[in-house]
Amino acid sequence: GIQVEQSPPDLILQEGANSTLRCNFSDSVNNLQWFHQNPWGQLINLFYIPSGTKQNGRLSATTVATERYSLLYISSSQTTDSGVYFCAVDSGGGADGLTFGKGTHLIIQP
Amino acid sequence: ETGVTQTPRHLVMGMTNKKSLKCEQHLGHNAMYWYKQSAKKPLELMFVYSLEERVENNSVPSRFSPECPNSSHLFLHLHTLQPEDSALYLCASSQGPSGTGDYEQYFGPGTRLTVT
């Protein structure tokens, strides 16, 4: 099956810093999503981005499908950005279920 | 209610008990999923239902039994579980291949299960 690798596994930053999270995947995909998991376990949708670039406030994401990677950018980090960020992909024909990476654990210190 | 809901939010059960987890989606989707998140493993797919038919079973032990009576509801029946089955169980929904639009999945808040 498809492999998903996220880096870095852990990231500690000061409030106000910028960060880049990376997701590499081993096969072509028809679905790529970025999630933020809050301390209670809820997965919050950040981006649905199988290709191209999207922006939402301080967050943006880029997926280069031909090179099989995606990047999540967080600018002007706030303490509420802390948590685990997951990349997940689906390489099937749709509604095949997502394969998740191990996540990046982000800590933003005040 | 909006989005994807799950009940109960927390569950403690003994190894001989039988319990069920419930998921309901209010998004008009026609595909639903169960995922498991253990402390030591990444999120892993358990079951996929598309148009109320099971299309994938990721080698899940038979002590986990899914049921999808309609496109809005999904259950996970649990019996004779082991302590290592303690985990966060997440339900999700999306459009299926026969729907319009993309396949973005939306998750419920999860059920935190402890098996004693």
Side-chain angles (χ1 to χ4, degrees):
Chain A
I2 191 167
Q3 305 297 312
V4 182
E5 293 185 3
Q6 290 187 244
S7 60
D10 301 283
L11 187 57
I12 301 174
L13 298 171
Q14 294 298 120
E15 204 167 20
N18 302 329
S19 58
T20 301
L21 282 57
R22 186 177 180 102
C23 172
N24 292 333
F25 44 96
S26 60
D27 203 349
S28 58
V29 298
N30 61 25
N31 178 1
L32 188 147
Q33 293 184 241
W34 283 97
F35 297 93
H36 177 207
Q37 188 168 41
N38 67 20
W40 299 272
Q42 173 81 59
L43 283 171
I44 299 164
N45 289 40
L46 298 178
F47 294 101
Y48 172 83
I49 189 165
S51 63
T53 298
K54 291 186 177 180
Q55 179 154 9
N56 184 4
R58 294 183 296 104
L59 274 60
S60 63
T62 295
T63 297
V64 184
T66 53
E67 297 186 22
R68 297 181 183 168
Y69 73 89
S70 183
L71 301 174
L72 176 68
Y73 305 96
I74 304 173
S75 64
S76 305
S77 298
Q78 300 175 358
T79 55
T80 51
D81 294 330
S82 297
V84 184
Y85 289 79
F86 289 104
C87 169
V89 303
D90 174 6
S91 61
D96 288 342
L98 293 170
T99 299
F100 279 77
K102 293 183 179 180
T104 292
H105 187 195
L106 177 63
I107 297 174
I108 305 298
Q109 296 178 332
Chain B
E1 290 279 13
T2 59
V4 182
T5 59
Q6 291 186 242
T7 54
R9 296 293 308 277
H10 300 271
L11 178 62
V12 179
M13 59 185 290
M15 290 189 285
T16 58
N17 290 159
K18 290 184 181 181
K19 296 287 185 183
S20 295
L21 310 184
K22 179 183 176 182
C23 176
E24 184 172 0
Q25 60 94 4
H26 308 268
L27 299 169
H29 291 158
N30 56 19
M32 296 187 76
Y33 312 80
W34 280 115
Y35 291 85
K36 175 183 178 182
Q37 187 176 30
S38 305
K40 304 292 185 185
K41 291 185 176 182
L43 269 146
E44 49 185 340
L45 178 68
M46 299 176 74
F47 299 104
V48 179
Y49 275 84
S50 181
L51 297 173
E52 300 150 42
E53 291 190 10
R54 188 192 308 183
V55 296
E56 186 159 343
N57 171 356
N58 266 14
S59 303
V60 178
S62 59
R63 57 185 182 270
F64 296 92
S65 175
E67 178 190 2
C68 188
N70 55 61
S71 61
S72 298
H73 294 87
L74 184 65
F75 295 89
L76 188 63
H77 304 298
L78 316 171
H79 63 97
T80 57
L81 295 190
Q82 306 298 311
E84 59 264 29
D85 297 321
S86 298
L88 181 67
Y89 289 85
L90 291 160
C91 172
S93 72
S94 76
Q95 287 293 359
S98 62
T100 57
D102 59 43
Y103 304 120
E104 184 172 5
Q105 290 191 22
Y106 295 84
F107 282 76
T111 295
R112 194 163 296 278
L113 173 68
T114 302
V115 181
T116 60

